[in-house]
Amino acid sequence: MLSVPEVRIILIVYLVCINLFTYSLFVWDKLCKKYHKPRVPEFLLFLMSLIGGALGGYLALLIKRSKKRKKLFKFGLPVMILLHAAIIFILQMGL
């Protein structure tokens, strides 16, 4: 069984990786739009945000202005960030 510090390290590594990947997907989608290439499906962008990459997606929205007009992303990503923060807080209280 994993110790508490090991679980925390795994969680941190997971969140960093998923957010970097999600940010990269949003930027890739923006580049595909610019060069008229096939886009990344919004479902995939949303799914990656939902499973932990909301902060990366929101940073892409702010920095690269990716998906800035889509209400689902503009308002949904901050809600997901709050949800993820609440889950992490609850997990920390339990550990």
Side-chain angles (χ1 to χ4, degrees):
M1 183 143 167
L2 296 173
S3 66
V4 173
E6 290 171 332
V7 172
R8 287 185 178 145
I9 290 171
I10 291 170
L11 179 61
I12 290 168
V13 169
Y14 170 77
L15 288 173
V16 167
C17 290
I18 194 72
N19 278 287
L20 286 173
F21 184 70
T22 303
Y23 178 85
S24 300
L25 275 179
F26 273 78
V27 172
W28 179 258
D29 181 63
K30 184 74 171 183
L31 289 172
C32 288
K33 178 183 179 187
K34 181 178 179 179
Y35 294 109
H36 306 289
K37 301 290 182 190
R39 306 275 305 269
V40 177
E42 285 187 357
F43 174 77
L44 181 59
L45 296 172
F46 190 79
L47 180 65
M48 297 308 295
S49 298
L50 189 63
I51 64 170
L55 183 59
Y58 193 65
L59 287 174
L61 186 139
L62 294 175
I63 296 169
K64 298 295 183 178
R65 303 179 66 81
S66 177
K67 299 291 181 195
K68 66 179 182 195
R69 292 189 180 120
K70 299 283 185 172
K71 289 183 182 180
L72 178 66
F73 291 99
K74 188 175 182 179
F75 299 110
L77 292 175
V79 170
M80 282 187 232
I81 292 169
L82 292 174
L83 177 66
H84 295 155
I87 291 169
I88 291 168
F89 178 76
I90 291 168
L91 288 174
Q92 289 294 324
M93 296 304 288
L95 296 177

